[in-house]
Amino acid sequence: MSRIYNFNAGPAVLPLDVLETARDELVDFNGTGMSILESSHRAKAYAAIHQEAQDNLRSLMNIPDNYAILFLQGGASTQFSMVPMNLLLPGKTADYANSGSWAAKAVKEAKKVGSVNIAADCQKEIPTRVPSVSELRLTEDAAYLHITSNETISGAQWKTFPEPECPLVADMSSDILSRPVDVSKFGLIYAGAQKNLGPSGLTVVIIRKDLAEKAPENLPTMLRYATHIENDSLYNTPPCFSIYILALVTRWIKKQGVETLFRINREKAAVLYSAIDASEGWYKGTAAREFRSDMNVTFRLPTEELEAKFVAEAAKAGFAGLKGHRSVGGIRASIYNAFPAEGVTALVGFMDEFRKANS
């Protein structure tokens, strides 16, 4: 069976080199006579992978020494609670930019912990977008400002990050390592791995160590960032296989270079958006042009019936995962780092043929 073009939003496409390496090492990892799936998380073989995954991330993102890299579980959804539980101290207010479905979920969880100020709210705007930096209404002496760098569902992305006086916290689940980012401008970055870093089951957290030290003492042990810093993400059994794949993915990214991937990602997105814009309105992008995501290209067809037909015929032609999120419908093409440029070209050809056949 030949591989198809995988446009799924997450779990998402992985580099073929990574999959082939994992296949070859699955039964006997590094001459240990066992799979990494069977290895103890305290074993030397796994410890080397654990360290490599951290080292690769630190190198690729130029993460300063005063930041910790954590490998946690529970997805970004658990971080919606952990962030305010650790950083939103009594008497403080946290600022949140409500830019879409994922930002709204983060807001909902933060309100359960403490005082939240909605610094900007464009969640329900059509065309979809994220706030501009200039429209943010920030709280004086806020605990932090939280943003969602890329809204996977709506296809809108921050192109310029705010620089507040308080710590900047970002959910980068769907665009981490897709472009250069100055980590020193952030207090905390978190990302579910299943889009650009590896498989599901792993959440990467990059946190300034001094922020972790301020958490309330009465927090449950597993929900304290300090616990995982002190134990090198080994307080409990970590998602070892997912971290192993992360190590392989970051090896692959180091070979490509983040700047090169950023250029390729922009080129892939530009090809797809150009096809949408050239269709004379038959395909309609759902995100405002200045906020269009390089990772998740969202668009609509003239009718929902045509959208269903588009998805069905695309699947038969070898394009998987193009159905938009169930909450908004439409079409979504997720073109993360590992998605090949030729797949975008092939989709554009299919779109042109489909439009001619159904106009």
Side-chain angles (χ1 to χ4, degrees):
M1 175 180 177
S2 61
R3 285 178 59 79
I4 62 174
Y5 290 121
N6 178 5
F7 289 94
N8 278 303
V13 60
L14 288 167
L16 183 58
D17 289 353
V18 167
L19 295 172
E20 290 176 339
T21 299
R23 175 200 63 197
D24 295 343
E25 296 181 341
L26 186 61
V27 175
D28 182 3
F29 173 70
N30 205 22
T32 60
M34 70 176 86
S35 172
I36 195 71
L37 287 164
E38 304 169 288
S39 174
S40 166
H41 62 294
R42 306 292 181 184
K44 289 184 179 180
Y46 173 72
I49 285 293
H50 194 90
Q51 188 62 52
E52 181 188 354
Q54 291 185 16
D55 291 345
N56 288 352
L57 283 171
R58 195 171 293 276
S59 172
L60 286 165
M61 298 183 71
N62 295 313
I63 299 172
D65 291 339
N66 63 322
Y67 285 73
I69 301 170
L70 305 179
F71 298 141
L72 306 182
Q73 300 172 62
S77 295
T78 295
Q79 295 307 306
F80 297 160
S81 299
M82 277 189 75
V83 168
M85 290 173 74
N86 283 263
L87 305 187
L88 181 49
L89 303 180
K92 288 281 194 174
T93 296
D95 290 335
Y96 276 71
N98 189 8
S99 55
S101 297
W102 294 112
K105 290 186 176 183
V107 168
K108 181 180 178 182
E109 297 306 309
K111 285 183 175 179
K112 296 177 182 179
V113 176
S115 174
V116 171
N117 168 55
I118 305 302
D121 192 345
C122 55
Q123 176 196 0
K124 297 181 179 179
E125 291 188 22
I126 301 295
T128 57
R129 66 183 186 91
V130 298
S132 61
V133 172
S134 61
E135 71 185 280
L136 293 171
R137 298 295 176 259
L138 303 178
T139 303
E140 185 177 353
D141 196 31
Y144 58 87
L145 167 63
H146 181 284
I147 65 170
T148 304
S149 62
N150 183 76
E151 287 284 357
T152 318
I153 293 175
S154 72
Q157 184 180 37
W158 287 81
K159 302 300 182 180
T160 302
F161 294 121
E163 296 187 18
E165 294 183 4
C166 63
L168 179 60
V169 175
D171 175 359
M172 289 191 182
S173 292
S174 52
D175 63 352
I176 192 169
L177 278 177
S178 69
R179 53 178 169 168
V181 168
D182 185 350
V183 173
S184 69
K185 301 291 187 182
F186 296 81
L188 188 154
I189 294 169
Y190 63 92
Q194 66 273 16
K195 302 175 189 297
N196 261 336
L197 297 178
S200 59
L202 169 65
T203 307
V204 172
V205 174
I206 302 165
I207 181 171
R208 217 173 67 206
K209 294 176 184 178
D210 64 296
L211 294 178
E213 295 168 358
K214 298 178 181 179
E217 291 294 333
N218 63 348
L219 279 187
T221 302
M222 278 294 291
L223 296 178
R224 291 174 56 84
Y225 291 125
T227 298
H228 304 288
I229 293 174
E230 292 165 4
N231 292 275
D232 194 27
S233 300
L234 294 165
Y235 179 79
N236 69 324
T237 306
C240 298
F241 189 74
S242 294
I243 294 170
Y244 161 69
I245 298 296
L246 168 65
L248 298 184
V249 170
T250 50
R251 280 185 207 171
W252 177 83
I253 294 175
K254 289 181 74 173
K255 291 178 182 178
Q256 318 303 312
V258 176
E259 288 281 1
T260 298
L261 284 173
F262 182 37
R263 174 182 57 79
I264 294 171
N265 288 333
R266 286 185 295 177
E267 290 172 353
K268 290 187 298 187
V271 168
L272 195 42
Y273 286 123
S274 293
I276 292 169
D277 295 339
S279 71
E280 299 179 341
W282 206 80
Y283 295 111
K284 295 181 179 179
T286 63
R289 287 177 184 248
E290 63 268 35
F291 300 109
R292 283 174 163 177
S293 170
D294 292 335
M295 298 285 97
N296 310 100
V297 179
T298 54
F299 57 98
R300 304 300 302 253
L301 275 67
T303 66
E304 291 184 3
E305 289 75 18
L306 278 172
E307 289 172 350
K309 184 179 181 182
F310 180 94
V311 170
E313 292 190 7
K316 292 178 182 178
F319 304 102
L322 285 167
K323 185 177 180 179
H325 191 270
R326 60 187 179 277
S327 64
V328 296
I331 308 298
R332 174 174 58 179
S334 296
I335 48 175
Y336 301 119
N337 280 349
F339 192 88
E342 59 267 24
V344 173
T345 302
L347 176 61
V348 166
F350 172 82
M351 289 168 63
D352 186 54
E353 293 175 4
F354 186 86
R355 179 174 62 87
K356 290 176 180 177
N358 291 277
S359 293

